[in-house]
Amino acid sequence: MKAIVYHGKEDFRYEETRDPRLESDTDAIVRVSRTAICGSDLHLWHGGLPEGVAGAGGFAVGHEFVGIVEEAGRGLRGVKKGDRVLTSCTVGCGTCAMCRRGVFSGCKVMTAGGAGASNVFGFSTGLPGGQAEAVRVPFGDTNLFQVPGELSDEQALFLTDILPTGYMGAEMAEVGPGDTVVVFGCGPVGTFAQMSALLRGAARVVAVDLDDLITQAAMVTRPGGRVAVIGVLGAAVATLPWFLIFLKNITLRTGLVNPQIFISRLMPLIESGRLDPTVIISHRLPLSEGPHGYEIFAGHKENALKVILKP
């Protein structure tokens, strides 16, 4: 099959790679109909992941994708061949202690008890990604979700990651009716955080871009306020204004998204028309032009906000 394959810094190629196959009775093979380039994919593009995580390359990238189930393992109960589905970007087994708590991103089976990108599609050879013609999805009953017939692929696509991430930020910040909210970052995730804050009743949302994230956030937050950090910090160590956070009694929360707990809550908002995720799409390209999509997205060219790809 064809895929966008990682070979190193700024070296993504559209090329032939190994077809996915069932490796477990709980796997599914999804034939991809739409996929997207995520801001966190740019960490690979810029060479920002540690050597041990990214490995030597040679794997399909991408973790936002929807498609049709082409093969379903005989152990699956809620997924069958022919289903139109979206996939959670983080993969959990559904039964370990962490998954039962709703922290699928910390699944003990998929991460062997540790953190990292081992259970996120498209960051290692162990879990090739969705910027491809097809993908193997482990634990399909936990990580695949039916797409209603009335929703298009594009409407459902961002439920895989960035829409739940933006909503998670508003929820972690405990945004409520009448609040004033400042969102640092106006990319796709920041845009969804802004939209989510309004959905949760914020009276005013102020969007700020091209500024340090965490220090400025602490400076503008009122005493007793809340800061939610949902962007991926590439640095292994981040300098935080701890004394300021301490003096102002600020609550700081962060974490990797668990789309599995948000999809069923957000999908009805899309179905009802209260939320239109497709407004962020700036570019639609064939999968073969994926490397060009990375160039314009990473280079802030052509007013690129969100690039989606069609195999």
Side-chain angles (χ1 to χ4, degrees), residues 16-257:
E16 193 74 25
T17 189
R18 184 175 67 89
D19 289 343
R21 58 181 178 83
L22 297 177
E23 298 178 12
S24 166
D25 286 348
T26 55
D27 286 351
I29 304 299
V30 174
R31 178 64 56 177
V32 177
S33 54
R34 291 292 188 282
T35 182
I37 300 175
C38 182
S40 54
D41 292 329
L42 297 185
H43 290 286
L44 276 177
W45 176 262
H46 293 304
L49 282 181
E51 185 72 18
V53 176
F59 56 87
V61 295
H63 53 267
E64 299 177 339
F65 58 95
V66 299
I68 305 294
V69 176
E70 191 169 75
E71 295 183 62
R74 59 186 179 184
L76 295 177
R77 297 292 177 265
V79 178
K80 65 182 185 304
K81 183 177 180 179
D83 286 348
R84 191 162 69 109
V85 294
L86 65 93
T87 308
S88 169
C89 64
T90 52
V91 178
C93 70
T95 58
C96 74
M98 298 307 296
C99 287
R100 292 198 303 271
R101 285 175 172 265
V103 189
F104 299 92
S105 57
C107 173
K108 289 182 176 293
V109 174
M110 290 298 301
T111 66
S118 58
N119 69 328
V120 181
F121 287 102
F123 283 93
S124 68
T125 55
L127 196 62
Q131 290 169 21
E133 292 178 327
V135 188
R136 178 183 72 91
V137 179
F139 302 107
D141 283 338
T142 299
N143 304 299
L144 292 174
F145 295 81
Q146 304 280 346
V147 177
E150 57 269 25
L151 291 189
S152 68
D153 287 345
E154 291 185 357
Q155 286 177 301
L157 179 57
F158 305 131
L159 285 167
T160 58
D161 176 13
I162 57 173
L163 180 53
T165 298
Y167 189 86
M168 179 186 73
E171 186 173 86
M172 288 196 303
E174 300 177 24
V175 175
D179 283 347
T180 294
V181 178
V182 180
V183 178
F184 286 85
C186 299
V189 171
T191 300
F192 283 147
Q194 297 161 27
M195 295 168 67
S196 297
L198 292 171
L199 279 171
R200 291 176 61 90
R204 182 169 60 168
V205 175
V206 180
V208 181
D209 212 346
L210 298 178
D211 211 330
D212 293 336
L213 180 61
I214 299 175
T215 298
Q216 281 296 107
M219 290 179 66
V220 304
T221 300
R222 63 168 173 81
R226 299 167 297 276
V227 174
V229 182
I230 54 176
V232 178
L233 299 179
V237 177
T239 301
L240 303 178
W242 286 117
F243 193 56
L244 180 61
I245 292 172
F246 168 77
L247 286 179
K248 295 177 71 172
N249 290 84
I250 291 174
T251 298
L252 175 64
R253 298 181 64 185
T254 187
L256 181 61
V257 69

